[in-house]
Every structure is written in structure tokens, then in C-alpha cells.
Amino acid sequence: MQSYAALQEGSEPEESGVLIHVVESSRSRWNHIEDLDSFFSRMYRYHQHSGFYVMMVEEILELFEFVFVVFLGIIILHGIDYVFVFGDKSQEPKISIEDLFYRPSQWLSSCGWVTYLILVIVVIVWVLRLFRGIYHMFYYWDIKQFYNSALNIDDSQLSNLTWHEVQTRVRAVQLEQQMCIHKRELSELDIYHRILRQQNYFVAMANKRLLPPRLQVPLIGEVVYWTRGLRYNMQLLLFWGPWAPFQNPWHLREEYRKPNLRHELAHKLRRHIFWLAIANVLFAPFVLLWQILFVIFSYAELVKREPGSLGIRGWSLYGRLYLRHFNELEHELEARLARAYRPATRYLAGFNSPMVTVIARGAVFTISGILFILAYLGFLDQDILKVSYYLTILAVFSALFACFRALIPDETMAWCPETLLTNVLAHTHYLPPGWRGQAHTDRVRKEFQQLLQYTFVRILEGILNPVMTPFVLLTYVYPRALDIVDFFRNFTVSVVGVGDVCSFAQMDVRKHGNPEWQGTQMQTVPDQYTQAEDGKTELSLVHFTLTNPSWRPPPEAQQFVQTVQQESMITVPERSSGDGILQVDLNDSSTYGSYQKREGPPNSDFNTMSISTKYLHDRHFRQVGSRYQRPAMETTPLLSSH
């Protein structure tokens, strides 16, 4: 930015009409940033992705991978001589790899109008992504200048600085430059609100069971369906689209605040959902083809090298949404889930069907014999490798061996389900109250599997996503349009210097707290509709306070946090397994060290949060007694019951 000043000398200011160009300091370029949501979000992403050049290389590789997947798809469909591979063997033997492929001119002659239509769409999408990459280059170059000039942080220092340290410098720059002109000082919560405005709404919707969709699948039961494609559609519907409830990233449309317009708005929202579902149907064939190709190229080599990799578990998108605190950044969530992974997988590994185990052992014995014969023949005569499908048969039986071997339990491992699930709780901080004392049951196992699902399940959901998304939009989201409108009206508040945010994200224990989680400290008791479920408000408040020690919450919130910390330090160590309160093994976690430094300030300690979590869950259990010895799906009221 530039400014001009008139040269005034002594008592004759009017005699001089000269204008002198005065260049502002490099730090003043960021005075009054209009869209702080985008600025802080990109600044956070810049820190997490280690700087400008790393991010640009990622953008270039994404463009290359897009073209590469399409190119390989065309080769598979039109470039391979399948007649020779599977058909006529009487032709002259192929002597090189090139002989297995058609010439490029033959590719073009074999392409139909469908292929050309796909290529046109691919080119358009790639060009749009190219322009997006160029836009990101200019935008992140400005972010780089902000880091280098305003924060005095070089890209080489990013890997050695936590986000908490960067955030502290940003707050100092605000005092000098007034990036936000609506308030002089920015708190940690203000910055988190800007970055996580949309995410906090999704966390609140999941907490009140408005999202994600729950589908009844024959022979399986209730399945929580939440994929990247469906999440993108919901973001487009609620935040990004021109018809979305949010007029811009920080302001809810005024009509959504008026109760008398709720039915009219719900009718409009249903219409938007309908047309969005139709658009998904039209693009479903192309997206489905892309998903299949992407899965093949992403996992083919991994499955060939490690056939059992499809049986490895990982936290599902639903699990990440359910287990996330209000105002919790991505790297903070990743740190907790990394620590919880080991006890979580050990807990699920303890469930074994005797029938499945017996069948798996028999299958492993049989397949081992077949593999021995194949290997023995290959050892005797290497020409056996030239036999048709020998390597294919060997690969298939190796994969089957790995799959069945994974079904056989480890006989040396002791299984204590309640202890393991309590160790999971120490790091995830959330588990349905109805699971307590029921960790050994098949019901809890099935529900927990939706948080930690197999890799092949995640792949299958991704492939089916183009078909399932329009179905879910019409059958689940469409009937709940009025609930969505009411949710935005009832749970949106305006914060000075931030804009409109989800009221749950304010972590107000008096407005959205639950007396069963607060004991006698609750002064005013909110109705069940406005209460956060599973102690989300209380646990989020404690977690945010520990992650940001310099943040000063309102007096009642600060008193609650101090009381929890004081009582938990006194109460938890005195508990023993004999009184029904299980001990927590805080060391039963994995990849803890790699995340400890990045999760919060240098003096933060996740053990304090784990102890506070255990204390709050114990106190809640004492409050409700055996009331939650029922299916966990009944513990949270639907919004339609309001």
C-alpha cells in the first residue's frame, strides 16, 4: 500500500505544491484485512504445510497426478492389446513391453463420443484447477510476506515453531496494525473462531445428531454415512453456494434470524437440496469413473506389496467429527487420535468369533500347503514362472493367506475391554455414556467400529459415494430442512470482531452446559434442546483452556475449569479399580512424541486433560447412575422432538 503527503516547510505551506511518495513499512500492508477468515485459515495451512515452496510443489504434483490418472485410464480402456493378452496365442510371440500396447493413432480411432466427452470435461476441470493453483500462488506469496515481514518468521523456521507461538506473534501484530478494526485485541478464541467457523457448526450438528446421516442397511443395521463427497455437498449447501444460509463467510443472512420465515426458508432449502441432488446424479458416472481409477492407482501397489493393508483400521470421517472438540484445530485433533489409536485397535482386536477363528485356521493351513507347492515348483524349475497365470495365482493365494491370518487372534495378548476402552477415552475424551460397563458387548463393538473402520470400508464408501450422495440428500437431508433452518437461527450469535458463529463454540457452560456434567456448579439449567450432549461444552472448554493457557474465559467458565482441575487432581489418583472406577494407562498410546510439541504451547501437558476427562466422566456417571444402561443411540434427542 502507498500514501502521499504534502511537503510543508516552515510558514509557507501553500507555496509548495510538491507531493512526495512515502512508502509505508512492510508491516503496514496488512492493516484492515477484510476477509480475516480466509487470511487466518491460509496462514494456519501455510504453517502446517511448512511454507510457500512446499505448498507450491504440492499444487504442481496435484495437477500432474490429475493428468496422470486420466492418462492411465485411457491406456487401460483403449491402449492395451487385450486380444493378445487374453485371446489368440497363435500369433507371433511378443518380445517387448511395447508390443502389448496399441499405437497412439489406434487409441484415437478406438475412442468413442463418451471418451471424448470425458476428455472435454477433464480438460475443463484441469484448467480450472490450474487457475486455482495460480490464484493460490499469489495468495500464499502474500502470506509468505506476512510471515517473513510482519511475524519475522522465515520458512525454514516453521518446522521448529508451534502454532501457539505463531498465534502469539499474530496477536502482537494486531496491536500494531489493527488487522481487525472492530476490536483492538484479538484473543486466541477469536482466531480459532475465524479458522473453524464452519467446522464448529458441523461439530455441533453431529453433537445434536442432525448430521451425519444414519442409514438402516439390511443385515448390517444402523450405519453412520459421512464421506468427503457428502461433506463437500453439505459445505456447498450451507456455506459456499449463492443460496447458502451464510451470505458471506462471516455473516448469516438476516432472514434466517426471523422465526416467522422459517417455513419459507425451509421450502427454499428443500428446493436447493433437490437440485443439488440432481446435479450429483448427472455427474455421478464421471465421478464414479474417477473414483475407481483413483482407488486403483492409489492402492494397487500397496495391496500387492502388503495384502493385509486393506484390513488396517483408521479413524473414520464420522469418528473425527464426533470426537472433535469445539474450537479444535486439525493438528490438535490428529495428536489426540494418534495417541488413542493403539488402545482402540487393541480393544477391537479382542472381539473374535470362535467359528471365524476355526475357519480361518483351516483356511490358513490349506492355503499354506498350496503356496508351498507353488514355491517348490518355482524352486525346481524357474521356467514355471512362464506358465499362464502362475504369478497371478501366487499373488491371489498370498493375499488370501494374509486376510485369513489377520482373523486369527494373538493368543499371547490379554484382553481387558473396560480398561482398554477407558484408555481410549483418556485420549479421545468422548464416548457415549451408554458404553460404560458394556465394553464387552457386541453392541458397543459395532458402534465403536463406526469410529475406527477398516481401510477397505473407507475405499468402498468412496467408490459408492457418487451413487449414495444424491440418495442421502433426498432421503435424509431433504426431510430435515426445517431442522437445519431452526438450528442456524437458534444457535448463531454475533461476536464483536468475529461475526456470526455457532453459539456452542462459545463454550458457555451456563447456556449450553449440562447439569449432569457440572454437578452443583450449574447456576441456570438450560433445556435439553440447548444442552450440548456427552459433555461437549464442558470438555471443549477444559481442552481449549489447557491448549491456550493465556486465554481468559468469562468468570463462570474460569471458575468451572479451575474447580475441575483442582478436584480431578485430588480425586482421580485416589480411585482404585476396586470401586468400579477404572484406572487409565496414559502411556498406552502411539506416536505420542511426534505430536506433543506441535499440539500446544511448550508447557502444555495432555496428561492434565486426560485426568480431567476421566474425572468429568466419573462424576457424570455418578450423577446419572444406571440410566444409561440402554442403547447409546437413545442418549441424544433429535431436533425434531423440540
Side-chain angles (χ1 to χ4, degrees), residues 379-615:
F379 175 76
L380 292 178
D381 185 0
Q382 293 184 355
D383 290 337
I384 195 70
L385 299 177
K386 300 178 182 179
V387 174
S388 299
Y389 306 117
Y390 173 83
L391 294 178
T392 302
I393 295 173
L394 187 64
V396 169
F397 277 100
S398 297
L400 290 175
F401 177 84
C403 292
F404 282 109
R405 183 65 185 86
L407 297 176
I408 301 176
D410 184 359
E411 297 179 354
T412 64
M413 183 182 68
W415 187 56
C416 302
E418 291 293 338
T419 301
L420 288 172
L421 203 57
T422 304
N423 291 337
V424 173
L425 175 64
H427 304 295
T428 62
H429 303 164
Y430 298 102
L431 289 179
W435 290 6
R436 186 144 192 175
Q438 304 292 314
H440 61 286
T441 63
D442 191 58
R443 172 183 66 86
V444 174
R445 176 191 62 83
K446 290 181 179 179
E447 294 175 359
F448 189 82
Q449 282 183 154
Q450 307 219 36
L451 303 178
L452 195 70
Q453 62 184 189
Y454 286 116
T455 300
F456 75 84
V457 174
R458 184 167 63 253
I459 293 174
L460 182 61
E461 286 183 345
I463 293 176
L464 295 178
N465 178 72
V467 178
M468 289 295 299
T469 295
F471 172 78
V472 171
L473 288 174
L474 291 176
T475 60
Y476 186 91
V477 182
Y478 184 92
R480 289 163 175 79
L482 183 59
D483 289 336
I484 294 175
V485 171
D486 288 341
F487 187 91
F488 278 99
R489 186 186 71 257
N490 294 326
F491 300 125
T492 298
V493 295
S494 295
V495 178
V496 177
V498 177
D500 295 331
V501 300
C502 180
S503 60
F504 285 103
Q506 288 291 91
M507 301 176 295
D508 188 341
V509 291
R510 300 185 65 181
K511 182 178 180 180
H512 293 304
N514 190 321
E516 295 174 350
W517 288 84
Q518 298 186 29
T520 59
Q521 300 177 40
M522 178 69 75
Q523 301 297 324
T524 59
V525 181
D527 59 49
Q528 193 171 14
Y529 179 70
T530 59
Q531 291 176 5
E533 307 298 331
D534 297 342
K536 181 73 78 171
T537 300
E538 293 79 9
L539 288 165
S540 295
L541 175 61
V542 175
H543 178 267
F544 190 84
T545 304
L546 291 174
T547 307
N548 300 273
S550 60
W551 177 65
R552 292 294 173 261
E556 62 275 5
Q558 188 169 9
Q559 181 183 0
F560 170 76
V561 173
Q562 291 175 349
T563 302
V564 168
Q565 292 180 355
Q566 292 171 0
E567 293 183 359
S568 62
M569 292 301 178
I570 297 174
T571 306
V572 171
E574 295 178 353
R575 298 288 178 187
S576 63
S577 58
D579 61 2
I581 308 297
L582 293 174
Q583 294 295 324
V584 180
D585 181 8
L586 298 178
N587 295 319
D588 189 8
S589 58
S590 62
T591 63
Y592 143 65
S594 61
Y595 282 100
Q596 185 185 21
K597 186 176 186 301
R598 296 179 56 196
E599 186 176 1
N603 60 345
S604 64
D605 185 1
F606 77 88
N607 285 349
T608 303
M609 183 64 208
S610 297
I611 294 173
S612 299
T613 298
K614 182 179 185 302
Y615 168 74

Side-chain angles (χ1 to χ4, degrees), residues 176-193:
E176 299 177 8
Q177 298 194 36
Q178 293 295 294
M179 294 181 292
C180 175
I181 63 173
H182 299 289
K183 59 189 306 184
R184 174 167 171 74
E185 296 185 18
L186 288 178
S187 68
E188 292 90 342
L189 185 59
D190 293 336
I191 297 176
Y192 274 69
H193 275 328

Side-chain angles (χ1 to χ4, degrees), residues 330-386:
E330 191 67 27
H331 72 281
E332 298 168 354
L333 174 66
E334 290 290 343
R336 290 197 297 112
L337 296 185
R339 293 194 296 267
Y341 182 79
R342 182 181 174 186
T345 52
R346 288 178 58 193
Y347 167 72
L348 287 176
F351 287 93
N352 297 289
S353 168
M355 181 63 70
V356 172
T357 301
V358 170
I359 294 175
R361 283 176 175 158
V364 166
F365 179 81
T366 304
I367 295 173
S368 298
I370 296 175
L371 288 175
F372 173 77
I373 294 298
L374 293 174
Y376 178 69
L377 292 175
F379 175 76
L380 292 178
D381 185 0
Q382 293 184 355
D383 290 337
I384 195 70
L385 299 177
K386 300 178 182 179

